[in-house]
Amino acid sequence: MRRLAYCVAVLALAARADAQPAAPVLQPPRPLTEPRIELPTYVESPPAGSAVDLLLDIDAEGAVVAVTVGTSLREDIDLLAMDAARLLRFEPARQGGEAIPSRVRLRLEVTSAAPVPTPVPVSVPVPDQATTSPASPTPPVPDDGEPPYETVVRGAIVPPEPGASSRVVLTGAELTTVPGTFGEPLRVVATLPGVVRSPFGLGYFLVRGASFENTGFLVDGFPVPILYHFFAGPAVISSRLVEHLDFYPGGYPVAYGRFSAGLISLRTAPPPTRQLHLEAEVDLFRAGALAVVPVGERTTVAVAARRSYYDVLLPLVIDDVDVAYADYQIRADHELTRRLRASAFVFASEDTLDVSQATGTGTTVSTETTSIGYAFVRGIGTLAWDLGDDATLVASGMLGRDWTSFRDREPGQADFGAEITGTYVGGRAELRIPAERDLALAIGVDVASTSYDLDSSFPSPLGLGEFPRPGFDPQPIDIHSSVRQLAGAVYVEPTLRAGPVELVPGLRLDLLKYGEVSSVFPDPRGVVRVTATDDVLFKASTGLFTQPPNPLQLDESLGSPDLQPQRSWQSSTGAEILLPDSIELQPTVFYSRMFQLPRFSGDFEVRGGEVVAREIFVADGEGRAYGFEMLLRRKVEAGLYGWISYTLARSERFLEGGQAQPFAFDQTHTLNVAASYLWGRWRFGGRFTLASGRPTPRIVGAVFDADADRYDPERTGLNFRLPTYHQLDVRIDREFDLGPIRCSAFLDVINVYYAKNAEGRLYQYDYRRSTPLPGVPILPTIGIKGELR
Amino acid sequence: MTWTTLLALIGCAGDLDPPSIVKTPRVLAVVASPPIAPPGEDIELTAMVVDPEERPLRLSWTACSRFEALGGQSNLQYGEEPPTEGCVEGAEGVFDLERRGDTGIISGLLTSLVYEDLEVLAATYGDQLPPDLLRFVVETSGLPVTIGLTVRTGSEELVRSFKRVLIFTGEPRGTNPPEPRFAITAGEDEHWVSARGTDEPFTCVPEDGEVPVLDAGTHVVLTPDPDDAAWQEDYRIIDARGDVVDRHEDSYYSWFTTGGVFEEEQTQAPLRDNVWRVPRRPGFYPLWLVVRDGHGGTSACRAEVEVR
């Protein structure tokens, strides 16, 4: 086995130091052991002179308690270096003779790329007094006396969130290399427990038996309207700006609200770098670029952009269909002081779809067109104060704007269209205080204002004296209205510890003001954890979650301004078990009861004894969901990660009379097995999905509507299921260098053995016969990315 | 249209039959004369029913007026016995099949609508619709009554259908479109067929007296009488918000046959033309055309062509 020698040099020392000139002398930490890194034969040598920077947290005993990557060299090399760094022992830093914790930047430089027959001892130029003398370069000590450091998270240890009963954190390679997810962090969520398949693998999530609109998407704490571009496109934010992803299948903390099921939260950050960083990527459907520019010592600016080229490829296959999307992100991070950081993040997205089709025959031919457009922009500004003693204060604000347009023109029929403009203003502030060892406290506020302006001509529900017309030829109803929604919440979350027991009782008070509703909705929640052993923790939670209606449901003329918010009471209990080899096991049992679920009524009603009109939305639905989840997971370590997630669940909605009926997306069993292994500069991964079929109506006949010239099916309820779904996806990544450019190419194949899964049934016009509606076929995607070092 | 195209493009339709090719017992049209009438006035109902097996058929009907069905829903949709409250049953009869060539059977049923006056109608709604409001609705837009039709042969139920009529005391009252008339154009040859001026119900006869003869496998253009704007009427409804608004009828053409392929299942003015790929097998083939105005008015006819 080859062995490569590395020259180890300690570049900079960071240690607690007293800013006063007369303070006790600081002695930096000193390595006691020599790092030895053995590269397996299949590992390609990096270029000589390249280096990886690590940040090591050293305790007062001299042991390395945490290692993070400052400047990456290459993922496989980074991992080997981190493994080696963890084994280092130091003479701890001392101040006034007393051993203190410290943080060290460690640079590992490649001094030889040639294989050597025998290991070369690594010499460590131990920093001596010369490094602390005034003549020697020392790291600048800021005014507040705190040492300089960069916090870089890559495969990081993310601190627990006391108020979250269930949370899965994805970082690093887990975000971008899971097969079948196109390198999109958000799609990885679909493989986690509690999440059932969405039809055609589209990018929306059905979590713990709730509907897809009940799971919220947050970016840096603020909701965003969509996560994916049209036509199963990528996420609207570059994966390179995603620091980590938190998935709460339920029981999320009181710091968040206004969604009645789960949350998917993205935390963004620029890629860690201390020098200009350029990346570009190209695959079958899109191209993108990223630039990260450090400005001085304390500022980083990152710019990313991405655009599809469906408009170039689709005409080769199909005429008269134009699809395009683009997204842009700009982020600036600035360290005002060692304790105060600021960031500004602006991101925007745009999607368009235009379809035109010649129609008519004989002597008269015309064109029907459909156009859909959606664009949004968000700006988030954040200030984060480190108040000392682990207390933090974070304040952030968000401004946003949405534009939605829809237009449908068919000859001989009424034109339909809508122009919807939305404006969003939000703000958050949270103070976290670890007041005592056994008591911590988080308090915060969360305000949001949403306004929609709607200018539209919609298909109108049938009125009295009106008949359905043959084909689809509804009559228009013009709606010009504005809808305003205000929300303001305060929350408090104490954390109480008594021995192995941790209790987190939280309360969120949400004032919701919209339409004819103006009320405070309390959401009490609680989590209890009991640490049985170092490796076993038991937990339980319960809580209430409130979600206001979609603003479009509140329109005065064709909505229901008095629609009450939907609510759910969620409870769960489970365990977190740490097994050998960094494997975690998390079994959970959950139960959720849903109230005031909105439904489209359409029944006529008499208002005030004088007007007959349609009742559009009613919030009188109820439902429940219960089940068992299991996650067996190995986090990224030594290039290998993987998990097995299994969900056994039932989701039901109650009909009039109290009878329970399976929810339309209920799936009894959902199994996902995902694994990925780094072997040298290759990464190989696979993902297998097995899921029960969704309920589908059992149609026993049909009735001919002689006015509409169509058949109306006769149903007997949702007591028939689609066949079991199964699919295997594989992915191969390969890294290679082109001079100064580090490249990565991938091949991602969805449904590699072409399972002919049915996503539904297509019925004949009279419902006498049907045929399966096929799902996604085998779908390969290739791409390449380059990163300028 | 766009979704149909998309599904066709990805080959999802499979072996499903198109609605325009008649292979099984079908109700192709139900005509109410008049489609809109005040309480107590007779409404004649006739149904154009096709049974390729030419069996004796029996039709039965019900008329229902219920608050829950104000939106015009059928009461026959849920696999259960339809509710009887608010419903009236009419007469049944057995009718011999009238044959037109090898296929095409027409039968009819005469009845009268049994809601003698507004008080009888109001009683079916009870407290759900106050009498003054019911009177307002009947005078403004009309109140829907659902007519259910069941076609049986012996004890076997073949097909169920329903149609709406309006109880309306206002003016003007809507009428049915005139009986159909359309052209069959093959190349330079144009043949007009029409149901106007004939006593045969639901029958379009050649205006020149000669059955059109078409070459097998060719494409012909079917063109309804373009003067449809003349019979389209204006009317008022009470919309979903409770406002009184105006509506205008339109012309919708549904095409049926037993062989060949239509380019469109339905056409609508101004794109009222259709193209029929004539069957490759010689013989006599029916062409059915059903014309609707989108406001309960219907007319229909059957024509016959010879393919050589």
Side-chain angles (χ1 to χ4, degrees):
Chain A
M1 180 181 288
R2 283 180 306 140
R3 294 174 179 174
L4 292 180
Y6 285 81
C7 174
V8 176
V10 176
L11 277 185
L13 302 178
R16 294 188 185 277
D18 193 332
Q20 300 301 320
V25 174
L26 169 68
Q27 289 181 302
R30 184 171 64 87
L32 300 178
T33 56
E34 299 174 357
R36 180 188 297 271
I37 301 176
E38 295 183 351
L39 298 183
T41 53
Y42 50 77
V43 173
E44 189 172 326
S45 301
S50 57
V52 53
D53 287 0
L54 301 178
L55 297 170
L56 313 183
D57 284 348
I58 305 168
D59 66 10
E61 305 294 326
V64 175
V65 296
V67 180
T68 55
V69 175
T71 301
S72 169
L73 171 59
R74 204 173 71 204
E75 185 180 10
D76 57 339
I77 304 297
D78 296 341
L79 295 170
L80 291 171
M82 292 172 70
D83 288 345
R86 290 191 185 96
L87 301 176
L88 289 177
R89 296 288 300 180
F90 284 80
E91 175 68 29
R94 292 183 182 277
Q95 185 173 34
E98 182 183 353
I100 58 173
S102 61
R103 181 166 293 154
V104 175
R105 184 184 303 279
L106 179 68
R107 164 161 287 197
L108 299 173
E109 291 183 357
V110 178
T111 58
S112 171
V116 291
T118 58
V120 175
V122 176
S123 63
V124 178
V126 176
D128 54 18
Q129 291 181 352
T131 63
T132 58
S133 67
S136 301
T138 58
V141 178
D143 294 338
D144 57 7
E146 290 300 310
Y149 68 95
E150 288 181 359
T151 300
V152 175
V153 178
R154 183 175 295 214
I157 301 171
V158 181
E161 222 167 340
S165 65
S166 298
R167 184 179 73 154
V168 178
V169 182
L170 302 174
T171 62
E174 295 172 327
L175 290 171
T176 58
T177 62
V178 174
T181 63
F182 304 116
E184 292 295 332
L186 288 159
R187 293 190 186 277
V188 179
V189 172
T191 67
L192 298 176
V195 183
V196 298
R197 288 193 61 251
S198 57
F200 299 98
L202 294 176
Y204 56 87
F205 301 99
L206 301 156
V207 178
R208 285 189 178 172
S211 188
F212 63 90
E213 71 270 14
N214 298 134
T215 294
F217 308 117
L218 308 181
V219 173
D220 293 341
F222 293 96
V224 292
I226 61 169
L227 280 181
Y228 294 100
H229 291 289
F230 289 173
F231 275 63
V236 296
I237 293 178
S238 168
S239 61
R240 295 290 285 131
L241 294 179
V242 177
E243 179 189 81
H244 69 269
L245 179 152
D246 296 328
F247 170 56
Y248 308 89
Y252 58 81
V254 290
Y256 308 113
R258 306 182 197 125
F259 291 98
S260 62
L263 279 183
I264 299 170
S265 173
L266 295 185
R267 288 292 171 182
T268 63
T273 183
R274 298 180 68 202
Q275 57 192 17
L276 175 65
H277 179 93
L278 299 174
E279 285 183 20
E281 59 179 345
V282 175
D283 65 26
L284 282 181
F285 305 116
R286 63 182 186 261
L290 167 76
V292 183
V293 182
V295 179
E297 290 281 334
R298 300 181 176 216
T299 306
T300 303
V301 177
V303 180
R306 186 165 46 184
R307 195 194 185 282
S308 68
Y309 28 81
Y310 287 129
D311 46 347
V312 173
L313 298 177
L314 274 180
L316 303 175
V317 179
I318 181 173
D319 293 329
D320 303 322
V321 177
D322 285 326
V323 180
Y325 66 75
D327 56 69
Y328 322 92
Q329 299 97 53
I330 302 174
R331 184 186 174 97
D333 291 79
H334 179 64
E335 195 175 285
L336 294 164
T337 70
R338 288 301 162 205
R339 292 185 182 276
L340 180 61
R341 299 168 182 273
S343 68
F345 184 36
V346 177
F347 54 104
S349 168
E350 182 180 4
D351 286 78
T352 58
L353 167 66
D354 293 290
V355 180
S356 61
Q357 180 185 13
T359 185
T361 57
T363 59
T364 311
V365 178
S366 186
T367 304
E368 58 183 60
T369 59
T370 301
S371 302
I372 303 173
Y374 185 77
F376 76 88
V377 60
R378 295 284 186 274
I380 300 175
T382 304
L383 287 173
W385 284 275
D386 180 356
L387 302 175
D389 295 324
D390 291 332
T392 60
L393 174 63
V394 178
S396 54
M398 186 271 290
L399 295 174
R401 196 102 160 126
D402 290 0
W403 298 269
T404 305
S405 67
F406 169 77
R407 188 67 52 190
D408 182 78
R409 290 194 174 94
E410 292 192 34
Q413 297 186 2
D415 289 350
F416 295 106
E419 301 285 339
I420 306 172
T421 306
T423 305
Y424 309 88
V425 180
R428 298 182 59 88
E430 180 176 280
L431 174 67
R432 285 194 174 265
I433 305 171
E436 301 287 339
R437 179 188 295 274
D438 297 326
L439 171 66
L441 183 68
I443 54 176
V445 296
D446 169 13
V447 297
S449 168
T450 305
S451 67
Y452 274 93
D453 293 307
L454 179 62
D455 185 6
S456 67
S457 179
F458 276 144
S460 170
L462 290 179
L464 268 179
E466 192 166 21
F467 289 37
R469 301 191 176 209
F472 181 73
D473 186 24
Q475 300 303 294
I477 186 168
D478 292 332
I479 302 175
H480 309 282
S481 65
S482 297
V483 176
R484 302 283 184 264
Q485 211 174 41
L486 295 174
V490 294
Y491 60 88
V492 59
E493 183 182 89
T495 302
L496 310 169
R497 299 185 185 91
V501 179
E502 179 183 270
L503 179 65
V504 187
L507 177 64
R508 179 183 177 94
L509 298 175
D510 229 321
L511 167 65
L512 299 179
K513 186 173 173 54
Y514 59 84
E516 298 171 13
V517 173
S518 179
S519 292
V520 174
F521 296 89
D523 284 352
R525 302 170 196 170
V527 180
V528 60
R529 294 184 177 83
V530 179
T531 303
T533 70
D534 288 345
D535 298 324
V536 178
L537 177 145
F538 297 103
K539 59 186 180 180
S541 74
T542 191
L544 190 58
F545 299 80
T546 302
Q547 179 168 350
N550 182 312
L552 294 179
Q553 295 174 317
L554 305 173
D555 175 72
E556 282 187 357
S557 60
L558 209 60
S560 302
D562 61 348
L563 198 65
Q564 291 294 311
Q566 56 184 300
R567 312 189 83 181
S568 69
W569 193 279
Q570 302 177 20
S571 301
S572 68
T573 184
E576 296 175 14
I577 302 167
L578 188 60
L579 302 173
D581 294 327
S582 301
I583 296 175
E584 295 179 345
L585 176 64
Q586 296 184 22
T588 307
V589 175
F590 71 90
Y591 181 86
S592 177
R593 190 76 162 84
M594 305 163 216
F595 308 90
Q596 295 176 182
L597 299 177
R599 63 180 176 89
F600 179 77
S601 167
D603 293 335
F604 276 97
E605 62 176 359
V606 175
R607 297 177 185 170
E610 297 180 355
V611 176
V612 181
R614 283 199 184 261
E615 179 185 57
I616 303 300
F617 294 105
V618 179
D620 62 355
E622 293 191 14
R624 66 184 175 193
Y626 48 92
F628 166 76
E629 301 166 356
M630 185 208 70
L631 177 65
L632 182 67
R633 176 185 180 192
R634 187 182 194 277
K635 292 185 179 178
V636 181
E637 188 165 312
L640 172 65
Y641 73 82
W643 59 78
I644 300 174
S645 77
Y646 172 69
T647 305
L648 171 66
R650 172 74 71 206
S651 178
E652 298 169 329
R653 300 293 181 267
F654 296 114
L655 305 175
E656 286 186 32
Q659 182 187 5
Q661 172 178 282
F663 177 45
F665 295 99
D666 174 67
Q667 292 166 54
T668 309
H669 303 277
T670 305
L671 172 69
N672 277 284
V673 181
S676 181
Y677 180 65
L678 182 68
W679 187 66
R681 303 201 76 178
W682 294 87
R683 179 174 282 281
F684 300 94
R687 184 186 85 169
F688 179 70
T689 300
L690 183 70
S692 302
R694 292 192 313 278
T696 192
R698 185 179 296 279
I699 294 176
V700 296
V703 178
F704 177 63
D705 183 332
D707 293 309
D709 192 18
R710 67 164 184 250
Y711 286 76
D712 293 336
E714 292 182 78
R715 300 183 174 88
T716 60
L718 294 174
N719 53 2
F720 170 72
R721 284 189 181 265
L722 296 174
T724 300
Y725 187 99
H726 56 95
Q727 176 177 306
L728 176 66
D729 309 320
V730 297
R731 181 182 172 108
I732 302 173
D733 294 80
R734 172 75 164 102
E735 281 197 1
F736 56 94
D737 296 319
L738 288 177
I741 302 175
R742 183 168 70 191
C743 300
S744 172
F746 73 88
L747 170 66
D748 198 332
V749 183
I750 291 178
N751 196 10
V752 69
Y753 62 78
Y754 200 173
K756 291 181 171 57
N757 295 298
E759 292 285 10
R761 297 202 70 82
L762 282 177
Y763 287 90
Q764 186 168 284
Y765 69 93
D766 58 0
Y767 296 88
R768 289 175 184 259
R769 295 164 56 197
S770 66
T771 186
L773 179 64
V776 177
I778 182 169
L779 184 63
T781 307
I782 59 173
I784 186 167
K785 182 175 73 176
E787 181 181 338
L788 180 65
R789 296 176 297 184
Chain B
M1 285 286 192
T2 303
W3 290 114
T4 306
T5 303
L6 184 62
L7 290 176
L9 283 170
I10 59 177
C12 290
D15 297 325
L16 303 179
D17 293 334
S20 57
I21 304 301
V22 178
K23 295 182 179 178
T24 57
R26 303 269 297 269
V27 173
L28 297 185
V30 178
V31 179
S33 299
I36 300 169
E41 181 170 312
D42 285 349
I43 294 181
E44 177 184 274
L45 295 166
T46 55
M48 188 166 74
V49 181
V50 177
D51 179 16
E53 297 183 41
E54 303 178 4
R55 292 168 287 189
L57 303 178
R58 183 175 62 196
L59 275 70
S60 59
W61 62 271
T62 58
C64 296
S65 185
R66 299 183 299 119
F67 187 85
E68 291 76 13
L70 280 182
Q73 302 93 314
S74 159
N75 59 348
L76 306 174
Q77 285 178 278
Y78 296 99
E80 302 168 353
E81 288 301 314
T84 56
E85 185 179 349
C87 298
V88 176
E89 296 222 16
E92 294 187 4
V94 178
F95 298 86
D96 290 331
L97 303 175
E98 295 184 37
R99 297 190 181 86
R100 294 287 184 267
D102 294 332
T103 58
I105 301 94
I106 302 169
S107 62
L109 173 69
L110 298 176
T111 186
S112 62
L113 190 61
V114 186
Y115 286 108
E116 295 166 352
D117 51 36
L118 276 183
E119 280 66 35
V120 172
L121 191 62
T124 66
Y125 287 93
D127 296 333
Q128 292 173 307
L129 196 58
D132 289 344
L133 194 53
L134 180 143
R135 188 180 302 275
F136 170 75
V137 171
V138 171
E139 288 173 351
T140 305
S141 65
L143 203 64
V145 172
T146 306
I147 309 294
L149 290 170
T150 304
V151 181
R152 296 183 177 87
T153 182
S155 60
E156 179 187 357
E157 185 179 287
L158 293 180
V159 63
R160 288 194 285 178
S161 175
F162 71 99
K163 182 182 176 20
R164 305 162 188 83
V165 297
L166 285 181
I167 309 279
F168 180 60
T169 59
E171 292 289 344
R173 294 180 206 165
T175 58
N176 287 313
E179 288 165 319
R181 175 177 181 262
F182 64 96
I184 304 169
T185 305
E188 299 294 325
D189 297 330
E190 184 181 80
H191 306 273
W192 282 93
V193 296
S194 174
R196 302 169 192 175
T198 174
D199 293 332
E200 300 279 351
F202 295 137
T203 303
C204 275
V205 297
E207 289 184 344
D208 61 6
E210 295 182 4
V211 174
V213 178
L214 308 174
D215 294 330
T218 58
H219 290 79
V220 301
V221 178
L222 307 175
T223 305
D225 188 344
D227 193 25
D228 43 21
W231 49 260
Q232 294 171 5
E233 297 162 322
D234 294 323
Y235 58 98
R236 291 188 303 171
I237 65 159
I238 299 172
D239 73 3
R241 290 181 287 204
D243 299 328
V244 178
V245 298
D246 294 326
R247 290 280 191 257
H248 184 74
E249 293 179 350
D250 209 325
S251 49
Y252 304 91
Y253 303 94
S254 298
W255 304 88
F256 304 92
T257 187
T258 56
V261 177
F262 287 119
E263 192 161 295
E264 304 285 350
E265 312 296 341
Q266 296 168 342
T267 59
Q268 178 185 348
L271 305 176
R272 53 181 74 79
D273 290 359
N274 204 349
V275 173
W276 181 39
R277 181 169 61 80
V278 176
R280 297 186 185 281
R281 190 169 70 178
F284 286 90
Y285 289 86
L287 287 173
W288 289 276
L289 172 61
V290 180
V291 183
R292 297 179 175 88
D293 62 12
H295 191 220
T298 306
S299 65
C301 83
R302 175 190 181 280
E304 191 167 87
V305 299
E306 182 182 1
V307 175
R308 292 179 183 172

